[in-house]
Structure formats: C-alpha cells, structure tokens
Amino acid sequence: MDLQQAREQLIQLQEKMSAYNHAMGLLSYDGETTAPRGTADNRAHALGILSEITYQLSTGKETVELLEFLDENKAALTEKEQRMVFLLLKDIRFMQKIPMDEYVAYEKLVVESQDVWYKAKNQNDFPAFEPYLEKMFEAQIRFARYAAPDADPYDYWLNEYEPGLSRQVLDSFFSQLRQRLVPLIHACGEKPLIPEDVLKGDFPEDKQEELAYWLMDVMGLNRDRVGLSTTEHPFTTSLGSHLDERITTHYHRQDVSWSMYSVIHEGGHALYDTGSNDDLAYTVLDGGVSMGIHESQSRFYENILGRSKAFIRFLFPKLKELFPEQMAAYGWEDFYRAVNRVQPSLIRTEADEVTYSLHVMIRYELEKQVMAGKLKVHDLPAAWNSMYKEYLGIDVPSDRQGVLQDSHWSFGAIGYFPSYALGSAYGAQFLAKMRETVDVDACLEKGDFAPINAWNREHIWQFGSLYTPARLLNQVLGAPFDPSYYLDYLENKCREIYGV
Amino acid sequence: MDLQQAREQLIQLQEKMSAYNHAMGLLSYDGETTAPRGTADNRAHALGILSEITYQLSTGKETVELLEFLDENKAALTEKEQRMVFLLLKDIRFMQKIPMDEYVAYEKLVVESQDVWYKAKNQNDFPAFEPYLEKMFEAQIRFARYAAPDADPYDYWLNEYEPGLSRQVLDSFFSQLRQRLVPLIHACGEKPLIPEDVLKGDFPEDKQEELAYWLMDVMGLNRDRVGLSTTEHPFTTSLGSHLDERITTHYHRQDVSWSMYSVIHEGGHALYDTGSNDDLAYTVLDGGVSMGIHESQSRFYENILGRSKAFIRFLFPKLKELFPEQMAAYGWEDFYRAVNRVQPSLIRTEADEVTYSLHVMIRYELEKQVMAGKLKVHDLPAAWNSMYKEYLGIDVPSDRQGVLQDSHWSFGAIGYFPSYALGSAYGAQFLAKMRETVDVDACLEKGDFAPINAWNREHIWQFGSLYTPARLLNQVLGAPFDPSYYLDYLENKCREIYGV
C-alpha cells in the first residue's frame, strides 16, 4: 500500500462516514421533531439497513487493512492523522467484537425503544417501557462483555463516555460532593423558601420562542448554522459536521425559565461543537471530545454564566419587554434569587444547581446496581422512588415524574449521567482560569459573550476531538482536576443568596 | 445464478435503495422545511456522497448482472417482479449513459440551485438564479442526449414524466383546450367580476393550521402516517415508503383559501401514495406511477371535489366556526362563487380552474423553446412577461411574481408542468366513471370521503406503479382518454356560476 494514497483514503473514509452519520442523525432527529407518530417502523427499516452498511464500512476488511497499515506507519503521520487512526481503530476494535446481527438489532431497538418510551411517559406506563429497557440494559452488558471481557460492564461504559472514569473514581467524586453538599442543602433548607412567583404565570409559546432566538443571538450562536426545534426532551445534534447544528427545547407555558435554561444549556453544547476548526469538518476529530467536556460547556453557559447576577441584570430588561404584564411586579433581584433557589425536587432537568448532583448520583447508583445484576429493571421504579425519598426527602407521585422522566436510557445512554455532574465540576475550575484574563462579570453585565466565547474557543472548542479529555484539561488548567473549585463556587453562591 | 436467490436479491436491492432514498429524500425535505439557511453546502456534501453510492448501487456490475439474469428469465417471474425488473433496468440504462461525475455534480447543483432560487425569489433577483438555471437546462439537455441520442431532448423528458407524451401530443392537447377555453374565459370576463372579499381578511396562522389538520382528517388522511409542514412552495414527498408521507403548505395570512387548497391538493397526492398496497413498500412499485396520474388525483381533490358546491356547503360551517368574525357577513354561496371565480392572474398556484391551463401552456411553450435552443435562459423573464400579456392579458410587475414564482425548474423538473393540465383532464374523466357507482355529491354534502376514497383506492391507488399509466387509464376508464370530459366539466361550471 502506498502511504500517500492511504492518507487520502483515510480522509475519504471519514467523509463517507460523515455522510452516513448525517443521514442517520437526521433520521433520528426527524423522528424526535417532525415525523408523524406512526412512522417509527418505517424509519427503523431505513436505519436498520443504513446501520448495517455503516457497520460494514467501518469494520470491513478494506478499512481495517487501511487503518492497520496507517497505524504501523504512524511515525510518518501528522498528529491529526494519528488521532484519526486511533479513534477509528478504537471503534473498529469495538465493532469487530459485536456480532453484526446483534448490532443491527440494537440499532432497531434504539428507534423502537425511544418511541415506546415517549408513549409510556405520556401515559405514565412504565410496564410498557420495561421490556425495552430490559433489552437495552442487556444489550449494554452484552456489548461491554464483547468489548472488554475482563472489565466490569458498567466501568466499561463509564470509561467510554469519559475516558479515565470508573466506579472507583466516581464513588470518590460523589463522596466529596455529598460531604459538602448535604450540609449545604440542609442549611439552605432552614432558611425561608425563596418565592418563585416571578418565574410562574402564563408565558405564550411565541414569546418564549422569541426569547429563545434572542438568547441564541446573545450567546453568539450563528443562526445560519444552528437551528432550533421543539422536542419532548431538549438535545443537541450535529448533522454531518459542525457546520449544521440543531438544538431543541420544550416550551412550558406556566414557567418562563424552563425553556430559557434549556436553550442556554443546549446552546452551550452547540457553541462547543460549532467552535471546531473548519478543517476538522467531515473527520472524526470534528465536534466535542467527551461527554464530560461537553457538559462542562453546556452547564457552564446554563449555570455559571446563565444564573449569575451579572447576566440576570443584563437579561431582565428583555424579559420585561417580552412579558411586561407578567414581570410588572418584579425586579431583577427576584428573578436572580428565584433561578438560584435551592430546593429538593422531582425532575432532574428542573433541579437547582446545588441539588442537581444528587439527581445524578441516584441515576448513577441505580445504573450501577442494574448493570451489576443487583437490581432488576422491573424493580427500578420502586428503587428510584425510595432513593428520592432517601436523598432528597421527597415522594415521587408517578413514574412519569420519576423513572420515566429522562430519555437517555431509551436510546441506550447508560453511564452517561455521571458526566453531567463531572462537567459542572470541570466548568467551575475553567471559570477560575478564565477569570485570570477575562473580566467575566463585566462581559455578562453588557451581554457581551464575545471575550468569553473567544477564550473557550482558543482553549477548548477549536480542537474538537484532537486531544484526549485528560490532555485537554491539563492544557486548559495547567493543574489537576479538583472538585473543590465546584464546591467552593456552590458554597459562595449559597452564602450570597441564603447567608449560609 | 440461482433463480430463487436472484429473486430474493431483487427484493434486498430495492430495500437498500429505499433506505438511501429515504435518507436523501429526508435531507432534501429538511433543507426545505427545518434546516438553518446557511447549511446548504454541508447538506450538498452528504448528498453528493450518498448519490455517488446510490449511483454505484443502481448501476454497478453486480446489480446489472442480477437484473439482466432476471430479465432473461422473466417468464418464470410474477407480474410484479417483471415490472420491478423493467423499472430498475430502465433507470440503469439511463444511469449507465450518464458519466458518474456529471451525475454527482448534478445532484450537488440541485441542492445549490434550490437554495439560490429561494434567495433570488425573495430578493426579486433573476440574474442571481440565471447561471444555475442555465446549468440546469444544459444538464437536462445533456442527460437527454446521453439517454436517447436520437430523440428530441424535450420529448425525452416529457415522455419520462408521462410515458407516451411528446410535443406532438401536447401541441394537440393544448390546442383543443385553447379552442374551447379562450372563448369561455372571454365570456366569463364579460360578466360582472365575482367578489372575493369572503376569502380575504386577517386569518391567523394557528387557525389556518387548525383548518389544515381538519381538512386532512375529513379527506381521510391518516395523520399517524402523513405529516404537515410549511415551505415556500407546497409539495408532497414519501420517505422510504408510502408508510411515511409528508405534505407541506404555506399560510397566507390575508387569504384563507390559499393554504386550504394547497392542503387539499397535496393531500390528494398523499392519498394516492399512501393508498399503495402495503406489500409494495420498499419496492420500486410503491407510490404513484406517473406525474400525470399523480396530478389527476391532487387536482381531483383540490378542484373537482374541493371547489364543488356540495363540498363547500359541507365546509362552510367549519369556516364559520374557525373564523366567526371574518365570515360573519357571508354565506356558503359567496364562498362557492369566490373560489370558482374566473379571472386571469399572475400566479399559477393561485389561478382559477379555467385559466389554470393557460399558465401551464406558457411554461410548456417556454420550456420547449429553451430546450430547442430557440430561447436563451437570459431572455426567459422577457419571454415570460410577453406571453402572460399575450395569453392572459396581464402585465407582470416583477420576476418574483413571474418567472421566479415556481420552484420546479430550480430542482430540474423540466417537462413536468404539462402533467398538471393533463392530470386535470384525466380527473374529469375519472369523475364521470366514478359517478356510475358513487353518489359523489351526496358524499361531499356529508363530508364523507370514504366511498370516494374507496373507489380511487380500488381502481387507482392500490396498484402503485404496477401498471403503466396507459394500462391503468384503460383499466379505469374502459375507453380512450378524451379531453372533452374536462372541457365539458369546465363549461358546465361556468354556465352555472356565470350563466355563460
């Protein structure tokens, strides 16, 4: 094989893959946004065939030979090419271990399972979803055993979502959090409850949509390349490359902050993805490197920036303009305090910053138990409800507001949740570093995200998946990751708002 | 090759093609409905790669050998299989004659050209679209020459859209129409102009959307399988199979009838497609057989049913309910007369039933001239405007309301327009036949489309593309196609409404 030719084939292979990924990503996106409800089988038919073709393309003899040849000659490759080969071989070595019929069946399961979950949630019918969720856990255990026979299946998936993670690491991480957050939440709970009436009322969808687009503009999202749709559960997806990004939200008519913070959260993901250098487009280096770093960006924009005093002072006049009657009796301080209220609650995506990690912990504990065979899927609702009582002190009135609330398990994302808490913790340490050169508060007071985005682009976004999360963190921080930045940040905020 | 195996491969080939068609159809649909404006290049990248793969799949050695083997053994095949092989070989024999790089470039051109057309129309900027339209005509001439070197290129495309059609046939068809329609339009023009004020006013989009969904239900469209979106120019598309159909409309706030008749028109297409027998799904026999038959269904629902006195009597109470203030001063007769008003106008899709065919004639004449090299694309706007003056007696104030009004040319549909007029004429002859067994007016008065749909499904829809248009027409009508049914129908309506 000729090396120069092989390098060209490496690019062509990734371009082809990006076309299939674009098509399959769009099929899923269409299923979540626009497609008529009864078309899941028809979509599964196409996805089944395309995923079989993709499987062959990614793991076929020709591809494996190409990549192994390049791997043997890696000294002659650029840093980018080396990373491409590493990432492509990683997937191949995974895919090679999964029998093709099981992989194809799994892709179909993902489509059907999402559809069933959607209906089951609407009808508060966990038993309808149960067999699909069982199959989903079974598949993840089977796939992990194929991929890493010696590893614990849950450790395998944790490490897949965030290289370096394991139950051991997370048990320690969550224990540090628990140690300082449990007393903090308790202390806040002793103080009078902050009223939320400024957030509640009747907020027409069209005005909320106007707010959503305004926020996208303020955040510096390029609307020529980033679209907004509505779905049951908000998400972000790149189609083909970072040059076509979609975020989604869900408008709750009675609560102005729900969609608002979804848009800022998904907008953070979209900023990270679309911030890749353009020459990474149509390669595996395009877009964010790991779930943890991704969540560090989304939760950085949502919470650290989006719930800061400086940003709320900038934002509030816009809310007054869009909702003059609803906001008539309030000032920015009311809004600031309300979006930072600490109170144990039912729904993760609506949880405040401080209790949020406990929601994540519960999912982590439950996944860990089901993956270890210590808990049956059938018993998940009961275990869920009992942990919400134990950690958050609240009763779960229905599975719809309990175990059925998140879409993640329905599409097989088991081991993903911990990255939400981890990302928050990364973000707080990024903030400390950013403040060394950027006057973050001054920017937010003016609604000028450009210097903040420029810092993130320079240090994080532009590299796409070129560096491992560990190397990227080290490059950005110049120090090891330390959760105490996050805990300090939360304690400071509670001190300011609650005086605790 | 083993015959049984070959027959199975025939099915697998079509299933694979349907998956690619689903993906590529969805990419285009997304581009027209949801995608952010600046993503056309990114989409073109994926479409370019997928169309190259599809080209190889459809015309590759393995496929050709399979189909030729089956063709040689066609005596042993079922009627369905024979037709599949015929249709697949037809495409192969076309594709084989087009150099792959030209085909791939063309697919990219289609994506870019639509995007440019959209902007050019908005900005009334024909020169921006001109180079794309030139390339589009050039490509169609080149492709026709590759496909049928001895045929006239325009005849080639006419016959592609409607097997059996040629300039000769259409010159005669349009001449019969002209002979009876020109005096008819003149006679109506001598009478007092029917007021349209019942249609005009302020009709909020959300109420128009409610009407659209109500119409879909009344027409018997299954909303679990048929979706509705908004686009610049309404259209209908099947994704993967007739089991996922999408129609689109465009709400004009000042005119309640615009979207209404778009929905009924596209709904007619969707009824035809989704009426295919389910065992045709994922084969080339799925969905309508030709543009002419397709338009016979869409225009049958839009005009023959949708503008009938019986249907308007059924519909009007719903309009009163949705738009009580706007309709307060009117009765069903006002609405009936208004939607059947005859008056030469600028926009084809807004033209009345009687003048409509003249709009089509103009496009036919212009396409004929450009394809023959007698007219330059550069001179299309002037020629367009002069023909509108000549045939319809009106001045075209801008290209946006003139030569840029239709999307068809932007995606290469040259030779498609005549089928609109032809379809209308087929529909009138179908109506006469249907009336032999179905009391159409009684059904419409009750809003009961079931017997009408059942007749169409029994005689037309269920067969998908199994029969040629000629055989299907012959089967349905038991007599040759005769445009005088159409002309009689139009004259009767004008007699009733105008007393001419």
Side-chain angles (χ1 to χ4, degrees):
Chain A
M1 207 180 291
D2 172 64
L3 184 63
Q4 193 46 40
Q5 223 178 336
R7 293 166 78 174
E8 280 160 24
Q9 283 172 16
L10 175 67
I11 297 304
Q12 285 158 10
L13 171 68
Q14 293 173 87
E15 290 196 330
K16 216 179 238 193
M17 281 176 169
S18 81
Y20 282 110
N21 289 337
H22 190 152
M24 293 169 71
L26 186 58
L27 278 156
S28 300
Y29 175 77
D30 176 60
E32 298 250 2
T33 54
T34 308
R37 270 290 131 212
T39 56
D41 290 350
N42 188 60
R43 207 156 36 254
H45 186 270
L47 277 169
I49 289 168
L50 293 174
S51 66
E52 190 172 332
I53 294 168
T54 309
Y55 181 88
Q56 283 164 339
L57 178 66
S58 319
T59 62
K61 194 164 161 278
E62 222 177 300
T63 300
V64 176
E65 279 171 11
L66 171 70
L67 293 170
E68 276 169 357
F69 171 79
L70 287 165
D71 194 41
E72 284 155 22
N73 291 278
K74 71 176 150 204
L77 302 182
T78 65
E79 184 184 21
K80 275 185 198 167
E81 287 168 336
Q82 287 177 16
R83 178 78 174 157
M84 287 169 186
V85 171
F86 170 81
L87 289 174
L88 287 164
L89 270 177
K90 184 170 168 291
D91 281 356
I92 280 178
R93 277 158 191 168
F94 173 77
M95 298 274 271
Q96 279 172 334
K97 293 169 189 161
I98 314 294
M100 198 209 283
D101 57 339
E102 291 192 32
Y103 183 75
V104 171
Y106 173 71
E107 290 278 334
K108 277 197 178 184
L109 172 65
V110 168
V111 173
E112 289 165 8
S113 161
Q114 286 182 86
D115 203 56
V116 170
W117 166 76
Y118 179 87
K119 288 177 189 151
K121 182 180 169 181
N122 272 338
Q123 292 159 15
N124 190 35
D125 183 6
F126 182 80
F129 182 47
E130 188 183 316
Y132 290 86
L133 187 55
E134 258 171 19
K135 279 187 209 158
M136 197 55 89
F137 271 103
E138 279 162 19
Q140 300 299 357
I141 291 169
R142 251 185 300 122
F143 286 7
R145 292 231 166 95
Y146 284 130
D150 300 328
D152 171 85
Y154 192 45
D155 277 343
Y156 172 79
W157 284 113
L158 290 170
N159 186 64
E160 278 300 298
Y161 285 112
E162 196 64 19
L165 271 203
S166 64
R167 286 167 306 160
Q168 201 186 359
V169 171
L170 283 170
D171 283 344
S172 146
F173 171 70
F174 281 120
S175 130
Q176 287 183 66
L177 261 56
R178 194 160 32 207
Q179 221 167 348
R180 287 172 65 181
L181 291 186
V182 169
L184 186 64
I185 293 165
H186 186 77
C188 293
E190 306 256 287
K191 299 282 176 174
L193 195 62
I194 293 173
E196 280 192 325
D197 44 338
V198 59
L199 311 179
K200 309 293 180 180
D202 185 32
F203 301 91
E205 279 204 10
D206 59 335
K207 291 288 166 187
Q208 289 202 51
E209 189 181 80
E210 205 179 322
L211 176 62
Y213 282 117
W214 180 82
L215 287 167
M216 287 174 72
D217 289 340
V218 167
M219 290 177 74
L221 289 159
N222 176 358
R223 274 165 54 192
D224 267 357
R225 298 211 179 274
V226 185
L228 173 70
S229 289
T230 58
T231 49
E232 177 65 21
H233 183 90
F235 65 87
T236 301
T237 188
S238 297
L239 296 176
S241 77
H242 71 278
L243 302 171
D244 185 351
E245 192 83 6
R246 311 292 171 95
I247 67 172
T248 74
T249 187
H250 191 116
Y251 301 114
H252 291 262
R253 199 166 167 130
Q254 312 306 325
D255 184 341
V256 72
S257 64
W258 206 102
S259 160
M260 191 187 126
Y261 283 107
S262 291
V263 168
I264 305 179
H265 178 96
E266 303 306 331
H269 284 302
L271 282 171
Y272 183 18
D273 277 338
T274 59
S276 281
N277 282 330
D278 280 355
D279 63 3
L280 301 182
Y282 314 121
T283 76
V284 290
L285 306 187
D286 198 37
V289 65
S290 73
M291 297 300 118
I293 307 290
H294 242 302
E295 289 300 325
S296 82
Q297 297 306 291
S298 57
R299 296 187 64 78
F300 183 80
Y301 281 83
E302 179 192 349
N303 294 324
I304 293 177
L305 305 182
R307 294 180 204 272
S308 68
K309 192 192 277 185
F311 180 69
I312 301 296
R313 284 164 66 120
F314 165 74
L315 164 82
F316 199 72
K318 184 69 188 178
L319 292 176
K320 279 256 187 198
E321 178 197 322
L322 287 170
F323 307 106
E325 285 171 34
Q326 297 92 323
M327 294 292 155
Y330 304 104
W332 69 264
E333 299 90 338
D334 301 306
F335 197 89
Y336 172 58
R337 288 170 57 80
V339 299
N340 285 294
R341 166 163 119 168
V342 178
Q343 191 195 23
S345 64
L346 282 168
I347 308 295
R348 178 183 59 82
T349 54
E350 293 167 25
D352 60 78
E353 246 183 304
V354 182
T355 58
Y356 185 85
S357 303
L358 297 186
H359 290 261
V360 174
M361 254 184 57
I362 291 171
R363 286 152 180 78
Y364 167 68
E365 291 296 336
L366 291 171
E367 287 181 345
K368 195 167 72 171
Q369 291 184 27
V370 175
M371 291 294 283
K374 290 180 186 159
L375 178 69
K376 285 185 179 153
V377 167
H378 180 76
D379 299 324
L380 260 176
W384 178 286
N385 297 354
S386 126
M387 284 193 183
Y388 265 75
K389 188 72 181 170
E390 183 187 343
Y391 288 112
L392 291 156
I394 53 176
D395 294 304
V396 178
S398 71
D399 291 338
R400 175 197 218 140
Q401 291 159 284
V403 70
L404 287 172
Q405 70 181 260
D406 297 302
S407 63
H408 301 59
W409 291 344
S410 80
F411 57 84
I414 294 163
Y416 179 107
F417 282 116
S419 62
Y420 284 115
L422 209 65
S424 303
Y426 292 161
Q429 199 168 350
F430 291 156
L431 176 70
K433 194 74 193 168
M434 187 186 285
R435 282 202 202 279
E436 292 175 9
T437 53
V438 179
D439 186 344
V440 176
D441 290 331
C443 291
L444 294 174
E445 291 251 9
K446 289 182 290 181
D448 176 14
F449 279 66
I452 296 168
N453 290 352
W455 193 95
N456 281 327
R457 181 187 294 270
E458 184 191 339
H459 294 91
I460 302 169
W461 302 343
Q462 64 162 319
F463 305 113
S465 298
L466 184 56
Y467 305 129
T468 61
R471 175 165 166 196
L472 187 70
L473 278 175
N474 196 51
Q475 252 178 226
V476 183
L477 300 172
F481 165 60
D482 177 356
S484 63
Y485 284 91
Y486 179 47
L487 294 164
D488 290 349
Y489 158 80
L490 290 174
E491 284 172 355
N492 284 337
K493 198 174 230 184
C494 287
R495 187 172 311 123
E496 196 198 307
I497 290 179
Y498 282 91
V500 297
Chain B
M1 208 181 289
D2 171 64
L3 185 62
Q4 193 46 38
Q5 223 179 337
R7 292 166 80 174
E8 281 160 24
Q9 283 171 17
L10 175 67
I11 297 305
Q12 284 158 10
L13 170 68
Q14 292 173 89
E15 291 196 331
K16 216 179 237 193
M17 282 176 169
S18 81
Y20 282 108
N21 288 337
H22 191 152
M24 293 168 70
L26 186 58
L27 278 155
S28 300
Y29 175 77
D30 176 59
E32 299 249 3
T33 54
T34 308
R37 270 290 130 211
T39 56
D41 290 350
N42 188 62
R43 208 156 35 255
H45 186 270
L47 278 169
I49 289 169
L50 293 174
S51 67
E52 189 172 331
I53 294 169
T54 310
Y55 181 88
Q56 284 164 338
L57 177 67
S58 320
T59 63
K61 194 165 163 276
E62 223 177 301
T63 300
V64 176
E65 279 172 10
L66 170 71
L67 293 169
E68 276 169 357
F69 170 78
L70 287 165
D71 195 41
E72 284 155 21
N73 292 278
K74 71 177 148 203
L77 302 182
T78 65
E79 184 183 20
K80 276 184 197 166
E81 287 168 335
Q82 286 177 18
R83 178 78 174 156
M84 288 170 186
V85 171
F86 169 81
L87 290 174
L88 286 165
L89 270 177
K90 184 170 167 293
D91 281 356
I92 280 179
R93 278 158 191 167
F94 173 77
M95 300 273 271
Q96 278 173 334
K97 292 169 191 161
I98 314 294
M100 198 210 282
D101 58 339
E102 291 192 31
Y103 183 74
V104 171
Y106 173 71
E107 291 277 335
K108 277 196 179 185
L109 173 65
V110 168
V111 174
E112 289 165 8
S113 161
Q114 286 181 86
D115 202 56
V116 171
W117 165 78
Y118 179 86
K119 289 176 189 152
K121 182 179 169 183
N122 272 339
Q123 292 159 14
N124 191 37
D125 182 5
F126 182 80
F129 182 48
E130 189 183 314
Y132 291 86
L133 188 54
E134 256 170 20
K135 278 187 209 157
M136 196 56 89
F137 270 102
E138 279 162 20
Q140 300 299 357
I141 292 169
R142 253 186 297 122
F143 285 7
R145 291 229 167 96
Y146 284 130
D150 300 329
D152 171 86
Y154 193 45
D155 277 344
Y156 172 79
W157 284 112
L158 290 170
N159 185 65
E160 278 302 298
Y161 285 112
E162 196 64 18
L165 271 203
S166 63
R167 287 167 305 161
Q168 201 186 359
V169 171
L170 283 171
D171 283 344
S172 147
F173 171 71
F174 281 119
S175 129
Q176 286 183 66
L177 260 57
R178 193 159 35 206
Q179 222 169 343
R180 288 172 65 181
L181 290 185
V182 170
L184 186 64
I185 293 165
H186 187 76
C188 294
E190 306 257 289
K191 300 283 180 174
L193 194 63
I194 294 173
E196 280 192 325
D197 44 337
V198 59
L199 311 178
K200 309 293 180 180
D202 184 32
F203 301 91
E205 279 204 11
D206 60 335
K207 290 287 166 187
Q208 290 201 52
E209 190 181 80
E210 205 180 323
L211 176 63
Y213 282 117
W214 181 82
L215 287 166
M216 287 174 71
D217 289 340
V218 167
M219 289 177 75
L221 288 159
N222 175 359
R223 275 165 54 192
D224 267 357
R225 297 211 179 274
V226 184
L228 173 70
S229 290
T230 58
T231 50
E232 176 66 21
H233 183 90
F235 65 86
T236 301
T237 188
S238 297
L239 295 177
S241 77
H242 71 277
L243 302 172
D244 184 351
E245 192 83 5
R246 311 291 171 98
I247 67 172
T248 75
T249 187
H250 190 117
Y251 301 113
H252 292 261
R253 197 165 168 132
Q254 314 305 325
D255 184 341
V256 71
S257 64
W258 205 103
S259 160
M260 191 187 127
Y261 282 108
S262 291
V263 168
I264 306 178
H265 178 95
E266 302 306 332
H269 284 302
L271 281 170
Y272 183 19
D273 278 337
T274 58
S276 281
N277 282 330
D278 280 355
D279 62 4
L280 301 182
Y282 315 121
T283 77
V284 290
L285 306 186
D286 198 37
V289 66
S290 73
M291 297 300 119
I293 305 290
H294 242 301
E295 289 300 324
S296 82
Q297 297 305 293
S298 56
R299 295 188 64 78
F300 184 80
Y301 281 82
E302 178 193 349
N303 294 323
I304 292 177
L305 305 182
R307 294 181 204 271
S308 67
K309 190 191 282 186
F311 180 69
I312 301 295
R313 284 165 65 120
F314 165 74
L315 164 81
F316 199 72
K318 184 69 188 178
L319 292 176
K320 280 255 189 200
E321 177 197 322
L322 286 171
F323 308 105
E325 286 172 34
Q326 298 92 324
M327 294 293 156
Y330 305 102
W332 69 264
E333 300 90 338
D334 301 306
F335 197 88
Y336 171 59
R337 288 169 58 80
V339 298
N340 285 294
R341 167 163 117 167
V342 178
Q343 192 195 21
S345 64
L346 282 167
I347 308 294
R348 178 183 59 82
T349 52
E350 293 167 24
D352 61 79
E353 245 185 304
V354 182
T355 58
Y356 185 85
S357 303
L358 296 186
H359 290 261
V360 174
M361 254 184 57
I362 291 171
R363 286 153 179 78
Y364 167 70
E365 291 296 335
L366 291 171
E367 287 181 344
K368 196 166 71 172
Q369 291 184 28
V370 175
M371 291 294 283
K374 290 179 186 160
L375 178 68
K376 286 183 176 154
V377 166
H378 179 77
D379 299 324
L380 260 176
W384 178 287
N385 297 354
S386 127
M387 283 192 185
Y388 264 76
K389 188 72 182 170
E390 184 187 343
Y391 288 114
L392 291 157
I394 53 175
D395 294 305
V396 178
S398 72
D399 292 338
R400 174 196 220 142
Q401 291 159 285
V403 70
L404 286 172
Q405 69 180 261
D406 297 302
S407 63
H408 300 60
W409 290 343
S410 80
F411 57 84
I414 294 162
Y416 179 107
F417 283 115
S419 62
Y420 284 114
L422 209 66
S424 303
Y426 292 161
Q429 199 168 350
F430 291 158
L431 175 70
K433 193 74 193 169
M434 187 186 284
R435 283 201 202 280
E436 291 175 10
T437 51
V438 178
D439 187 344
V440 175
D441 289 331
C443 290
L444 293 175
E445 292 252 9
K446 288 181 290 181
D448 177 15
F449 279 67
I452 296 168
N453 290 353
W455 192 96
N456 281 327
R457 179 185 295 269
E458 184 192 341
H459 292 92
I460 302 169
W461 302 344
Q462 65 163 318
F463 304 114
S465 298
L466 184 56
Y467 305 128
T468 62
R471 174 164 166 197
L472 186 69
L473 277 175
N474 196 52
Q475 250 178 228
V476 182
L477 299 172
F481 165 59
D482 178 357
S484 63
Y485 284 92
Y486 179 48
L487 295 163
D488 290 350
Y489 158 79
L490 290 175
E491 283 172 356
N492 283 337
K493 198 174 230 185
C494 288
R495 188 172 311 121
E496 198 197 307
I497 289 178
Y498 282 92
V500 295

